[in-house]
Amino acid sequence: MRITLLFCISIVLMCGCSRIKSKYDTVKERIKEEINSTFRTDFYSDPGAWDYYRVPLIAPYELCSTLWGDDGKVWDCIRRDNTDKFGGFTLATARRSVESVGLHDSIIYLYYTEKLTPLKEMPSHKYDGWEMRRFVIIDVPTDSVEWHETREEWLTALNKRGVSKPQLHHVDSLYDDFANNRRLLFNPPKR
């Protein structure tokens, strides 16, 4: 009788321990997945980290902010060298920040603030060689960047490309919508 009782107790303990181990492994795997998800670099879902903010446009172009100015985030338009890694070519402009942006098919159109970047923040402390125009059209398939002096020239160039009524979005509100709701200006292809 005692042997049977000890045998039953040991079976119950073994079964209980394996269930506990199974639950432990499940929880451990979920924690690992959460930690790893922080470091994934999916171009169309990563809003940034603690020291930078980003809004994906059409790969490989994105808006990125690593600075804060007196009037909020300072946004740059960047062409990534590799969509899975942070960094790339920034449109070289003397303007302080991208103000508004829109998309149409494979065209990105945006404009910068009138405000210039303070000279003390410019690499050479001069505006020499930096783009002073505010209005930009980027044709993603051809990777061409077209600068325009006035809003009227820019709108005319957009109209020639089939964008007769450009829909512009302020970058800060675009970022907030992306960071909080994971909404973009379009539905990107699944990777």
Side-chain angles (χ1 to χ4, degrees):
M1 177 83 166
R2 275 186 174 172
I3 295 175
T4 308
L5 182 60
L6 287 174
F7 179 72
C8 289
I9 291 173
S10 61
I11 289 176
V12 168
L13 284 175
M14 284 190 289
C15 290
C17 288
S18 68
R19 270 197 281 166
I20 290 171
K21 182 173 179 357
S22 174
K23 286 183 181 182
Y24 170 78
D25 289 342
T26 302
V27 169
K28 185 177 167 184
E29 195 59 38
R30 283 186 188 157
I31 291 170
K32 180 180 171 185
E33 180 65 27
E34 284 296 315
I35 290 170
N36 288 339
S37 71
T38 304
F39 299 103
R40 279 198 194 96
T41 56
D42 184 10
F43 185 83
Y44 288 112
S45 66
D46 176 21
W50 66 273
D51 61 345
Y52 72 97
Y53 305 91
R54 67 179 292 276
V55 178
L57 298 174
I58 300 172
Y61 288 92
E62 67 185 351
L63 298 176
C64 187
S65 175
T66 58
L67 298 172
W68 278 83
D70 296 336
D71 47 357
K73 294 180 196 81
V74 176
W75 292 98
D76 290 309
C77 184
I78 295 175
R79 183 193 181 285
R80 280 202 184 180
D81 298 326
N82 178 338
T83 57
D84 292 328
K85 295 181 183 172
F86 184 73
F89 168 76
T90 301
L91 293 186
T93 179
R95 299 294 171 176
R96 182 65 173 164
S97 179
V98 174
E99 191 170 328
S100 292
V101 66
L103 301 175
H104 179 80
D105 293 333
S106 60
I107 301 202
I108 301 168
Y109 48 94
L110 54 94
Y111 67 87
Y112 287 83
T113 58
E114 285 188 43
K115 186 177 180 179
L116 296 173
T117 301
L119 280 173
K120 66 182 181 191
E121 294 178 22
M122 295 297 287
S124 62
H125 301 289
K126 299 181 210 169
Y127 293 126
D128 296 346
W130 290 85
E131 184 60 62
M132 299 298 281
R133 294 174 286 187
R134 292 182 53 206
F135 302 93
V136 183
I137 299 172
I138 302 169
D139 187 334
V140 177
T142 63
D143 206 23
S144 67
V145 178
E146 191 178 294
W147 292 87
H148 296 276
E149 187 72 39
T150 67
R151 184 177 185 89
E152 292 73 30
E153 288 175 11
W154 181 63
L155 290 172
T156 300
L158 283 171
N159 196 29
K160 287 179 184 174
R161 294 174 178 268
V163 184
S164 57
K165 293 181 182 178
Q167 293 184 348
L168 292 161
H169 306 273
H170 191 272
V171 179
D172 286 331
S173 63
L174 193 61
Y175 170 76
D176 290 341
D177 200 27
F178 174 58
N180 296 323
N181 306 314
R182 295 293 191 253
R183 247 192 318 253
L184 295 170
L185 290 176
F186 72 108
N187 294 318
K190 300 289 183 211
R191 290 177 88 186

